[in-house]
Amino acid sequence: GHIQQAPKHPPKKMFWGSFGTNGTGRLISVEGMMNSDKYKALLETHLLPTMRRDFADGDGIFQQDLAPFHTSRKMRTFFEESGLEVLDWPGNSPDINPIENLWAIVKRRLQKEDCPTMTKLISAVIRARYHDEELAKNCSTLVESMPNRVQMLVKAKGGHISY
């Protein structure tokens, strides 16, 4: 019989990514653990230029979860000074965050790939994020689902929703 070996400890990598109605945006490889300083530098370098380009009239709203480094005093000051509007977000609510859906799709794509090394893993993530037409189409659907997600959350009084 054919024995397929899987690495005992497959490589893991942290990425920061964005997307909007037009498809996936920046994908940034994060070294080590994220903190407020890294996050601020990442947003200054990658998010702000994209938001200013795509929302020149200033009507873009940035969504993030409530990770401690997202909500630190340093980040609140940064958002205020940059003029970047951040969507008010309930506490523990990954079920309504569309980026979680997008990452789930990417992870399903990666299950079909052989990624025993960090280089192969990064290449597979890039292929899925930037060259998968179905993923790009899903971005618009995920953004457009936000009003419904919020309505469901209000109806559930902040409780879990199935999205």
Side-chain angles (χ1 to χ4, degrees):
H2 177 46
I3 298 174
Q4 183 175 358
Q5 292 184 332
K8 191 171 192 170
H9 301 286
K12 294 183 180 183
K13 182 72 181 144
M14 179 183 284
F15 294 93
W16 176 88
S18 65
F19 76 97
T21 55
N22 296 330
T24 56
R26 300 281 180 118
L27 178 67
I28 308 302
S29 173
V30 176
E31 298 303 323
M33 295 300 294
M34 185 65 84
N35 60 36
S36 292
D37 291 326
K38 282 185 185 180
Y39 190 56
K40 181 177 178 277
L42 188 148
L43 296 184
E44 286 174 326
T45 304
H46 301 289
L47 179 71
L48 285 180
T50 301
M51 292 292 287
R52 290 180 178 139
R53 181 195 69 218
D54 293 350
F55 301 98
D57 57 1
D59 68 345
I61 300 173
F62 178 58
Q63 179 189 352
Q64 61 180 1
D65 61 26
L66 297 180
F69 60 86
H70 290 170
T71 59
S72 68
R73 181 175 308 192
K74 180 179 288 193
M75 292 311 302
R76 288 192 309 267
T77 300
F78 166 75
F79 290 127
E80 192 174 299
E81 290 174 354
S82 70
L84 185 61
E85 184 177 354
V86 178
L87 182 65
D88 284 335
W89 202 246
N92 189 16
S93 57
D95 53 328
I96 63 169
N97 189 341
I99 195 80
E100 300 299 335
N101 299 103
L102 189 72
W103 280 116
I105 295 166
V106 169
K107 288 177 183 177
R108 281 196 301 274
R109 301 291 191 275
L110 295 181
Q111 288 174 348
K112 300 173 186 172
E113 303 259 352
D114 181 25
C115 303
T117 67
M118 188 60 69
T119 302
K120 288 185 177 186
L121 175 66
I122 291 170
S123 294
V125 170
I126 289 169
R127 265 194 315 280
R129 286 275 305 203
Y130 293 114
H131 303 290
D132 186 319
E133 290 180 22
E134 183 182 344
L135 189 73
K137 289 177 189 172
N138 283 328
C139 290
S140 172
T141 302
L142 289 170
V143 171
E144 290 166 6
S145 73
M146 281 306 297
N148 190 44
R149 290 171 190 254
V150 172
Q151 276 185 330
M152 290 173 71
L153 182 67
V154 168
K155 192 173 184 178
K157 297 182 179 158
H160 178 76
I161 63 170
S162 57
Y163 228 100

XYZ file of all heavy atoms in Angstrom, residues 22-96:
596
model
N -13.446 44.698 -3.629
C -12.743 44.446 -4.891
C -11.796 43.253 -4.827
O -11.085 42.987 -5.788
C -11.962 45.695 -5.317
C -12.887 46.846 -5.619
O -14.021 46.647 -6.049
N -12.421 48.052 -5.389
N -11.738 42.556 -3.713
C -10.865 41.392 -3.604
C -9.879 41.539 -2.465
O -9.987 42.424 -1.622
N -8.910 40.646 -2.476
C -7.931 40.640 -1.396
C -6.981 41.814 -1.549
O -6.638 42.227 -2.640
C -7.128 39.327 -1.385
O -6.518 39.138 -2.661
C -8.005 38.150 -1.044
N -6.584 42.325 -0.404
C -5.617 43.419 -0.371
C -4.261 42.897 0.043
O -3.894 41.767 -0.271
N -3.578 43.699 0.777
C -2.227 43.347 1.197
C -2.202 42.074 2.038
O -3.127 41.787 2.785
C -1.629 44.483 2.033
C -1.517 45.800 1.319
C -0.313 45.781 0.406
N -0.152 47.031 -0.303
C 0.888 47.817 -0.175
N 1.870 47.503 0.631
N 0.967 48.918 -0.880
N -1.118 41.334 1.912
C -0.849 40.166 2.732
C 0.567 40.343 3.251
O 1.516 40.416 2.478
C -0.953 38.881 1.918
C -0.650 37.590 2.663
C -1.721 37.321 3.715
C -0.574 36.427 1.692
N 0.709 40.449 4.552
C 1.998 40.745 5.158
C 2.396 39.595 6.082
O 1.628 39.192 6.960
C 1.931 42.059 5.979
C 1.357 43.211 5.136
C 3.293 42.398 6.566
C 2.109 43.512 3.870
N 3.586 39.091 5.885
C 4.152 38.066 6.748
C 4.616 38.731 8.039
O 5.321 39.733 8.005
C 5.335 37.421 6.018
O 6.006 36.533 6.863
N 4.190 38.192 9.163
C 4.539 38.769 10.472
C 5.572 37.874 11.133
O 5.364 36.663 11.270
C 3.283 38.890 11.366
C 3.651 39.390 12.749
C 2.238 39.773 10.711
N 6.668 38.469 11.530
C 7.712 37.732 12.231
C 7.458 37.802 13.726
O 7.242 38.878 14.275
C 9.092 38.322 11.909
C 9.472 38.235 10.439
C 9.454 36.824 9.878
O 9.839 35.886 10.606
O 9.044 36.657 8.715
N 7.473 36.659 14.371
C 7.262 36.614 15.817
C 5.835 36.956 16.192
O 4.922 36.881 15.381
N 5.658 37.335 17.436
C 4.328 37.682 17.940
C 4.021 39.145 17.643
O 4.903 39.993 17.665
C 4.264 37.453 19.455
C 4.423 35.992 19.867
S 3.147 34.913 19.176
C 1.706 35.545 19.995
N 2.757 39.420 17.385
C 2.313 40.783 17.105
C 2.212 41.554 18.421
O 1.867 41.000 19.454
C 0.949 40.741 16.405
C 0.437 42.075 15.963
S 1.432 42.853 14.683
C 0.751 42.082 13.224
N 2.520 42.841 18.335
C 2.327 43.738 19.471
C 1.923 45.104 18.917
O 1.853 45.285 17.695
C 3.587 43.822 20.347
C 4.791 44.344 19.588
O 4.684 45.220 18.719
N 5.966 43.814 19.901
N 1.647 46.065 19.783
C 1.161 47.379 19.338
C 2.154 48.081 18.419
O 1.754 48.700 17.435
C 0.852 48.279 20.531
O -0.250 47.786 21.239
N 3.441 47.995 18.727
C 4.439 48.672 17.891
C 4.471 48.085 16.481
O 4.481 48.821 15.494
C 5.841 48.579 18.519
C 5.956 49.407 19.791
O 5.322 50.478 19.869
O 6.683 48.974 20.704
N 4.488 46.748 16.378
C 4.490 46.095 15.059
C 3.200 46.410 14.302
O 3.212 46.657 13.108
C 4.612 44.577 15.198
C 5.984 44.071 15.479
C 5.944 42.544 15.472
C 7.262 41.951 15.864
N 7.224 40.482 15.851
N 2.083 46.360 15.026
C 0.780 46.582 14.408
C 0.677 48.010 13.872
O 0.249 48.229 12.736
C -0.321 46.297 15.429
C -1.716 46.267 14.860
C -2.052 45.417 13.816
C -2.712 47.073 15.388
C -3.338 45.369 13.309
C -4.004 47.030 14.901
C -4.308 46.182 13.853
O -5.592 46.152 13.357
N 1.109 48.980 14.660
C 1.076 50.380 14.232
C 1.937 50.571 12.987
O 1.507 51.190 12.010
C 1.552 51.284 15.368
C 1.547 52.765 15.038
C 1.968 53.571 16.268
C 2.016 55.041 15.979
N 3.262 55.453 15.354
N 3.141 50.022 12.988
C 4.035 50.146 11.834
C 3.423 49.484 10.602
O 3.477 50.037 9.492
C 5.400 49.527 12.147
N 2.805 48.332 10.789
C 2.171 47.622 9.685
C 1.028 48.457 9.090
O 0.925 48.610 7.869
C 1.646 46.286 10.219
C 1.122 45.291 9.223
C 1.390 43.888 9.730
C -0.344 45.479 8.998
N 0.187 49.023 9.941
C -0.938 49.829 9.456
C -0.454 51.103 8.773
O -1.007 51.505 7.741
C -1.895 50.162 10.596
C -2.616 48.983 11.254
C -3.613 49.477 12.295
C -3.289 48.083 10.245
N 0.567 51.744 9.328
C 1.113 52.959 8.714
C 1.663 52.667 7.318
O 1.431 53.420 6.377
C 2.231 53.552 9.578
C 1.744 54.227 10.815
C 2.887 54.678 11.719
O 3.937 53.990 11.791
O 2.712 55.715 12.377
N 2.378 51.564 7.199
C 3.050 51.225 5.948
C 2.114 50.630 4.909
O 2.239 50.932 3.732
C 4.193 50.218 6.242
O 5.055 50.790 7.215
C 4.963 49.893 4.988
N 1.178 49.792 5.354
C 0.386 49.026 4.394
C -1.095 49.403 4.331
O -1.669 49.446 3.250
C 0.525 47.537 4.689
C 1.935 47.067 4.614
N 2.617 46.959 3.428
C 2.808 46.708 5.584
C 3.847 46.546 3.663
N 3.987 46.388 4.967
N -1.705 49.655 5.477
C -3.146 49.923 5.459
C -3.476 51.360 5.074
O -4.316 51.594 4.200
C -3.783 49.601 6.811
C -5.290 49.879 6.846
C -6.041 48.862 5.997
C -5.804 49.889 8.265
N -2.838 52.330 5.721
C -3.188 53.731 5.457
C -3.064 54.106 3.982
O -3.996 54.717 3.431
C -2.373 54.669 6.338
C -2.799 54.745 7.801
C -1.910 55.716 8.569
C -4.253 55.128 7.943
N -1.965 53.757 3.294
C -1.897 54.111 1.869
C -3.028 53.473 1.049
O -3.587 54.112 0.156
C -0.527 53.578 1.423
C 0.266 53.476 2.671
C -0.710 53.155 3.767
N -3.377 52.237 1.388
C -4.462 51.551 0.673
C -5.796 52.230 0.947
O -6.584 52.465 0.025
C -4.523 50.067 1.094
O -3.273 49.447 0.789
C -5.643 49.337 0.381
N -6.067 52.543 2.204
C -7.333 53.202 2.553
C -7.425 54.570 1.885
O -8.486 54.944 1.377
C -7.471 53.346 4.070
C -7.636 52.047 4.826
S -9.203 51.203 4.532
C -10.336 52.235 5.445
N -6.344 55.317 1.886
C -6.361 56.652 1.265
C -6.552 56.561 -0.240
O -7.188 57.431 -0.836
C -5.094 57.408 1.638
C -5.107 57.790 3.111
C -3.877 58.546 3.546
N -4.015 58.905 4.954
C -3.037 58.834 5.830
N -1.828 58.441 5.457
N -3.243 59.174 7.086
N -6.013 55.524 -0.854
C -6.189 55.331 -2.296
C -7.615 54.870 -2.620
O -8.275 55.414 -3.493
C -5.176 54.294 -2.809
C -5.274 54.057 -4.323
C -4.547 52.809 -4.765
N -5.261 51.639 -4.252
C -4.679 50.541 -3.795
N -3.372 50.441 -3.757
N -5.402 49.529 -3.353
N -8.087 53.852 -1.905
C -9.381 53.251 -2.220
C -10.567 54.045 -1.695
O -11.682 53.886 -2.188
C -9.448 51.826 -1.661
C -8.485 50.876 -2.361
O -7.896 51.267 -3.404
O -8.301 49.754 -1.864
N -10.334 54.884 -0.687
C -11.412 55.680 -0.094
C -10.959 57.129 -0.008
O -10.889 57.709 1.086
C -11.791 55.139 1.288
C -12.256 53.710 1.270
C -11.382 52.682 1.594
C -13.553 53.395 0.902
C -11.793 51.359 1.567
C -13.980 52.081 0.866
C -13.096 51.052 1.201
N -10.671 57.701 -1.160
C -10.140 59.071 -1.221
C -11.083 60.080 -0.568
O -10.637 61.099 -0.042
C -9.865 59.460 -2.669
N -12.377 59.781 -0.571
C -13.339 60.699 0.053
C -13.460 60.457 1.556
O -14.254 61.112 2.233
C -14.701 60.598 -0.630
C -15.273 59.191 -0.631
O -14.624 58.274 -0.072
O -16.373 58.993 -1.184
N -12.689 59.520 2.100
C -12.658 59.285 3.541
C -13.796 58.467 4.096
O -14.012 58.456 5.307
N -14.549 57.746 3.233
C -15.708 57.009 3.740
C -15.413 55.543 4.059
O -16.316 54.789 4.363
C -16.886 57.116 2.774
C -16.644 56.390 1.463
O -15.490 56.040 1.169
O -17.620 56.176 0.719
N -14.153 55.146 4.024
C -13.793 53.775 4.373
C -13.795 53.572 5.873
O -13.465 54.471 6.643
N -14.196 52.388 6.292
C -14.212 52.039 7.707
C -13.370 50.785 7.882
O -13.562 49.796 7.174
C -15.651 51.789 8.218
C -16.496 53.050 8.035
C -15.630 51.364 9.685
C -17.967 52.846 8.354
N -12.442 50.840 8.815
C -11.541 49.724 9.085
C -12.149 48.844 10.161
O -12.642 49.330 11.175
C -10.185 50.272 9.535
C -9.178 49.224 9.881
C -8.788 48.268 8.963
C -8.605 49.200 11.141
C -7.849 47.300 9.286
C -7.656 48.250 11.485
C -7.276 47.304 10.549
N -12.101 47.542 9.937
C -12.626 46.595 10.915
C -11.482 45.742 11.446
O -10.652 45.257 10.684
C -13.672 45.690 10.276
C -14.228 44.689 11.248
C -15.109 43.656 10.581
O -15.422 43.758 9.415
N -15.490 42.666 11.333
N -11.475 45.564 12.738
C -10.508 44.696 13.399
C -11.204 44.090 14.608
O -12.262 44.546 15.015
C -9.275 45.484 13.829
C -9.594 46.579 14.816
C -8.377 47.370 15.243
O -7.283 47.130 14.793
N -8.576 48.316 16.138
N -10.615 43.045 15.168
C -11.206 42.511 16.387
C -10.624 43.249 17.591
O -9.957 44.266 17.429
C -11.017 40.988 16.480
C -9.562 40.567 16.522
O -8.703 41.367 16.957
O -9.271 39.433 16.128
N -10.876 42.752 18.762
C -10.465 43.465 19.970
C -9.242 42.839 20.627
O -9.121 42.831 21.853
C -11.636 43.543 20.963
C -12.842 44.329 20.470
C -13.939 44.350 21.527
C -12.462 45.740 20.084
N -8.321 42.337 19.819
C -7.063 41.844 20.385
C -6.439 42.977 21.199
O -6.554 44.147 20.825
C -6.127 41.405 19.259
N -5.778 42.660 22.298
C -5.235 43.719 23.153
C -4.337 44.713 22.417
O -4.405 45.911 22.680
C -4.456 42.945 24.220
C -5.158 41.629 24.305
C -5.601 41.333 22.893
N -3.531 44.254 21.483
C -2.664 45.194 20.781
C -3.435 46.048 19.779
O -2.941 47.060 19.327
C -1.478 44.483 20.100
C -1.877 43.451 19.075
C -2.137 43.812 17.765
C -1.966 42.118 19.425
C -2.494 42.869 16.824
C -2.321 41.166 18.485
C -2.590 41.538 17.184
N -4.669 45.672 19.426
C -5.516 46.503 18.563
C -6.106 47.673 19.334
O -6.419 48.709 18.758
C -6.694 45.693 17.997
C -6.323 44.669 16.994
N -7.232 43.737 16.547
C -5.173 44.395 16.339
C -6.655 42.944 15.664
N -5.395 43.325 15.530
N -6.332 47.473 20.622
C -7.088 48.449 21.418
C -6.232 49.169 22.447
O -6.777 49.868 23.303
C -8.255 47.743 22.131
O -7.726 46.705 22.965
C -9.240 47.144 21.134
N -4.928 49.031 22.349
C -4.041 49.694 23.308
C -4.172 51.213 23.185
O -4.668 51.738 22.188
C -2.592 49.279 23.047
O -2.153 49.802 21.801
N -3.715 51.905 24.192
C -3.726 53.374 24.168
C -2.955 53.891 22.948
O -3.385 54.823 22.281
C -3.109 53.916 25.451
C -3.115 55.437 25.504
C -2.615 55.929 26.813
N -3.388 55.230 27.848
C -3.396 55.552 29.112
N -2.678 56.545 29.528
N -4.106 54.872 29.986
N -1.818 53.264 22.666
C -1.000 53.659 21.518
C -1.810 53.562 20.214
O -1.774 54.456 19.378
C 0.232 52.755 21.414
C 1.134 53.078 20.253
C 2.343 52.153 20.227
C 3.238 52.549 21.371
N 4.557 51.977 21.339
N -2.595 52.478 20.071
C -3.376 52.299 18.845
C -4.572 53.257 18.804
O -4.903 53.785 17.746
C -3.836 50.844 18.705
C -2.692 49.877 18.441
S -1.564 50.395 17.104
C -2.685 50.527 15.726
N -5.216 53.500 19.943
C -6.333 54.453 19.956
C -5.836 55.831 19.532
O -6.490 56.523 18.758
C -6.985 54.490 21.337
C -7.794 53.243 21.653
C -8.677 53.407 22.886
N -7.972 53.894 24.056
C -7.423 53.134 25.002
N -7.492 51.826 24.912
N -6.811 53.678 26.031
N -4.661 56.225 20.031
C -4.069 57.511 19.643
C -3.750 57.512 18.150
O -4.028 58.484 17.446
C -2.788 57.783 20.463
O -3.143 57.809 21.839
C -2.141 59.089 20.064
N -3.178 56.421 17.657
C -2.850 56.308 16.233
C -4.099 56.472 15.368
O -4.098 57.219 14.388
C -2.181 54.960 15.943
C -2.116 54.623 14.484
C -1.206 55.259 13.650
C -2.975 53.679 13.937
C -1.151 54.964 12.295
C -2.925 53.381 12.593
C -2.010 54.019 11.769
N -5.184 55.771 15.707
C -6.407 55.865 14.909
C -6.959 57.283 14.926
O -7.393 57.801 13.898
C -7.462 54.861 15.397
C -7.107 53.423 15.100
C -7.113 52.478 16.099
C -6.757 53.026 13.819
C -6.781 51.159 15.832
C -6.423 51.712 13.543
C -6.432 50.773 14.547
N -6.928 57.907 16.079
C -7.427 59.277 16.195
C -6.589 60.231 15.345
O -7.128 61.047 14.590
C -7.392 59.696 17.666
C -8.143 60.971 17.945
C -8.185 61.235 19.437
O -8.750 60.401 20.171
O -7.645 62.288 19.847
N -5.272 60.140 15.451
C -4.383 61.044 14.710
C -4.386 60.783 13.214
O -4.230 61.707 12.419
C -2.960 60.931 15.260
C -2.819 61.511 16.653
C -1.445 61.280 17.272
O -0.605 60.560 16.668
O -1.221 61.827 18.367
N -4.581 59.540 12.805
C -4.565 59.215 11.375
C -5.902 59.516 10.702
O -5.984 59.561 9.478
C -4.215 57.744 11.170
O -5.279 56.912 11.620
N -6.954 59.685 11.505
C -8.279 59.925 10.945
C -8.932 58.664 10.402
O -9.949 58.731 9.721
N -8.361 57.506 10.713
C -8.907 56.235 10.249
C -10.082 55.841 11.131
O -9.927 55.688 12.349
C -7.814 55.162 10.291
C -8.163 53.794 9.722
C -8.517 53.889 8.248
C -6.977 52.848 9.905
N -11.253 55.718 10.531
C -12.431 55.323 11.294
C -12.408 53.816 11.506
O -12.255 53.042 10.568
C -13.716 55.718 10.573
C -14.957 55.414 11.384
C -16.254 55.850 10.723
O -16.216 56.508 9.674
O -17.314 55.516 11.271
N -12.578 53.414 12.759
C -12.565 52.001 13.118
C -13.980 51.602 13.524
O -14.622 52.284 14.332
C -11.576 51.729 14.268
C -11.598 50.265 14.665
C -10.169 52.154 13.868
N -14.457 50.515 12.969
C -15.785 50.011 13.276
C -15.843 49.587 14.740
O -14.981 48.851 15.214
C -16.097 48.802 12.377
C -17.463 48.143 12.510
C -18.563 49.104 12.077
C -17.514 46.877 11.669
N -16.856 50.093 15.469
C -17.066 49.630 16.839
C -17.359 48.138 16.772
O -18.114 47.684 15.902
C -18.259 50.349 17.482
C -17.911 51.768 17.883
O -16.714 52.041 18.121
O -18.832 52.593 17.947
N -16.774 47.392 17.689
C -16.832 45.944 17.574
C -17.088 45.322 18.931
O -16.469 45.691 19.916
C -15.493 45.452 17.006
C -15.572 44.123 16.366
C -14.956 42.978 16.804
C -16.287 43.765 15.205
N -15.253 41.942 15.962
C -16.074 42.401 14.971
C -17.113 44.466 14.327
C -16.642 41.714 13.908
C -17.677 43.792 13.270
C -17.439 42.437 13.060
N -17.997 44.356 18.999
C -18.238 43.692 20.281
C -17.046 42.819 20.679
O -16.200 42.497 19.846
C -19.476 42.835 20.007
C -19.502 42.649 18.531
C -18.841 43.855 17.935
N -17.012 42.428 21.930
C -15.901 41.631 22.458
C -15.606 40.377 21.680
O -15.172 40.408 20.546
N -15.865 39.254 22.218
C -15.503 37.965 21.644
C -16.501 37.594 20.545
O -17.504 36.947 20.802
C -15.497 36.911 22.756
C -14.936 35.606 22.282
O -14.293 35.535 21.242
N -15.178 34.571 23.059
N -16.218 38.016 19.306
C -17.206 37.822 18.238
C -16.588 37.385 16.915
O -16.858 37.978 15.879
C -17.977 39.124 18.035
O -17.055 40.155 17.741
N -15.756 36.342 16.912
C -15.165 35.921 15.643
C -16.196 35.407 14.644
O -15.943 35.392 13.447
C -14.196 34.804 16.047
C -14.706 34.306 17.352
C -15.329 35.495 18.019
N -17.399 35.030 15.127
C -18.412 34.503 14.219
C -18.977 35.568 13.281
O -19.602 35.218 12.283
C -19.544 33.825 14.998
C -20.153 34.697 16.078
O -19.420 35.519 16.657
O -21.358 34.561 16.339
N -18.763 36.843 13.561
C -19.267 37.850 12.638
C -18.154 38.585 11.904
O -18.415 39.481 11.119
C -20.211 38.864 13.314
C -19.506 39.674 14.373
C -21.438 38.176 13.852
C -20.324 40.856 14.855
